[in-house]
Amino acid sequence: MDTELAEKQNTSPTIHMIRKGVAVGFPIMLGYLPIAITYGVLAKQSGMSLTELTLMSVMVFAGASQFMGANMIAVGAGAMEIIIATFVLNFRHFVMSLSFMNRLRNIGLNWKIPLSLGLTDETFAVSSLHTKEANMEKGAYFYASLILTAYLSWIGGSFLGGVLGEIIPAQLSQSMGIALYAMFIGLLIPSVRKQWRVGVVAVIAMLINTVCSQFMSDGWAIVFGTVLGGWSGVFLLKEDAS
Amino acid sequence: MIIAIIIGMAAVTMIPRVVPAFIVDKLQFRDWINRWLNAIPFAALGALVFPGILGVIPGKPLIGLIGGAVAIVLAYVGLNVILVVAGAIVTVFLLTM
């Protein structure tokens, strides 16, 4: 079907997949830009140079941990302390990557490595809701362009935030804080409508996360919520939900 | 010094992301593990949203909840993700005025 469509549009499957990836990644860009700008502003205030704060976005590419890192640098925390806290906060990506890579079994390791490195909460969520492409011709280009769209907007936004400084009104940037949460909700609800049990899995994960966050760090609480919540899916989701 | 922190943060972020790329090539998972992994996205979305959303406006959890409720309604009626995000931002913006 993919090739048919591509022929109709008179484009190669590669270009078709790239276009599709950029289109599907576009909402992530909208969600990332305000947050990346806010990160840039905050990182600048915490004493990082424009090069350093942009480099962090290039090399780490993980929003929450970059906010935390900038904060910890500002208060003069030690390097080891910051790195360990980052590991704990980002360990959830291991679980997500395992799920994502399991979907990409038909794609070669030469693609899987760069795609796994571009995995964030957002690129994972969006990619996981588009599983068909994994088995299509040139499907790797779909995920690669989706991730690159997100990656470049994250880097660009961070740089912009570092340059602009405090130009955006505080009330607006604060309101933007809801953006990624709303995006996650917007991604989840269509699957819940298709199969209500998906919503049960999500709510179980929420409850486990809430309970766990009472006595452990947020990073581990999210890992437990995701792993145990996902486990409930073994019983709740009989067939392939996506 | 900051550069060293960045390199360290990058390493501990990249390793958990990339290891599964090598693992899945080596292993065949049983059916129930595949189902578990396939349910991970939905569980992750749940865990990422709640309780984090309560902290959108520090000290005012209700604003985050209402923003989330608006997002649920907009998504449920079938609006595009972009409009869902825009609707939630406008809601929170109005509530903090």
Side-chain angles (χ1 to χ4, degrees):
Chain A
M1 185 218 122
D2 168 53
T3 13
E4 266 175 40
L5 203 73
E7 271 163 18
K8 226 182 277 172
Q9 294 174 337
N10 232 349
T11 48
S12 72
T14 307
I15 293 178
H16 173 66
M17 281 297 171
I18 292 175
R19 279 198 187 142
K20 206 164 155 189
V22 172
V24 170
F26 188 71
I28 307 184
M29 187 173 114
L30 290 187
Y32 269 180
L33 278 176
I35 294 180
I37 292 171
T38 313
Y39 155 76
V41 171
L42 195 124
K44 196 74 193 295
Q45 287 167 353
S46 68
M48 292 168 71
S49 73
L50 190 59
T51 317
E52 287 163 347
L53 70 89
T54 311
L55 187 70
M56 191 189 270
S57 287
V58 171
M59 291 185 63
V60 180
F61 188 35
S65 65
Q66 290 183 226
F67 273 97
M68 187 195 65
N71 265 324
M72 289 179 84
I73 287 171
V75 300
M80 217 49 214
E81 205 183 327
I82 297 176
I83 292 166
I84 291 170
T86 304
F87 175 76
V88 169
L89 191 57
N90 289 341
F91 188 74
R92 63 182 186 279
H93 292 156
F94 175 79
V95 182
M96 295 180 189
S97 182
L98 201 56
S99 168
F100 184 38
M101 291 300 123
N102 195 38
R103 288 283 192 189
L104 300 189
R105 278 177 181 274
N106 292 337
I107 290 175
L109 189 61
N110 57 333
W111 276 107
K112 280 219 238 11
I113 293 172
L115 291 176
S116 72
L117 290 174
L119 188 135
T120 63
D121 299 337
E122 295 76 18
T123 58
F124 168 68
V126 174
S127 300
S128 297
L129 298 172
H130 292 82
T131 51
K132 288 193 309 284
E133 283 78 2
N135 300 316
M136 286 180 174
E137 192 192 353
K138 305 287 180 196
Y141 285 91
F142 168 77
Y143 298 108
S145 52
L146 183 165
I147 286 171
L148 270 180
T149 306
Y151 186 52
L152 295 177
S153 54
W154 180 252
I155 297 170
S158 312
F159 179 80
L160 213 64
V163 174
L164 290 179
E166 205 78 84
I167 239 175
I168 303 166
Q171 194 205 345
L172 185 61
S173 62
Q174 222 182 10
S175 309
M176 297 278 198
I178 191 97
L180 290 181
Y181 293 110
M183 192 181 88
F184 292 141
I185 291 171
L187 292 172
L188 181 63
I189 297 296
S191 302
V192 175
R193 283 187 61 175
K194 259 185 261 167
Q195 200 183 351
W196 65 271
R197 286 194 173 95
V198 162
V200 178
V201 171
V203 169
I204 290 174
M206 288 181 187
L207 295 177
I208 294 170
N209 185 16
T210 308
V211 171
C212 288
S213 63
Q214 304 302 313
F215 53 87
M216 58 176 85
S217 75
D218 289 352
W220 288 121
I222 291 178
V223 169
F224 277 99
T226 303
V227 169
L228 297 177
W231 190 59
S232 73
V234 175
F235 310 99
L236 288 164
L237 310 176
K238 294 280 186 258
E239 307 129 47
D240 200 335
S242 40
Chain B
M1 190 54 192
I2 290 179
I3 296 291
I5 293 174
I6 294 173
I7 293 171
M9 287 176 73
V12 298
T13 304
M14 285 161 108
I15 292 166
R17 280 175 179 168
V18 81
V19 165
F22 296 94
I23 294 181
V24 294
D25 274 353
K26 300 269 183 295
L27 298 175
Q28 276 302 326
F29 294 131
R30 283 164 188 273
D31 180 52
W32 69 271
I33 297 183
N34 280 317
R35 275 192 282 149
W36 188 353
L37 292 175
N38 292 345
I40 290 288
F42 308 119
L45 285 171
L48 288 169
V49 169
F50 196 86
I53 198 166
L54 302 177
V56 167
I57 305 296
K60 291 179 180 161
L62 201 60
I63 293 183
L65 269 187
I66 296 171
V70 169
I72 290 174
V73 172
L74 295 181
Y76 201 82
V77 299
L79 291 189
N80 183 285
V81 180
I82 294 170
L83 295 173
V84 172
V85 171
I89 292 175
V90 170
T91 304
V92 172
F93 187 78
L94 292 176
L95 288 174
T96 50
M97 273 178 83

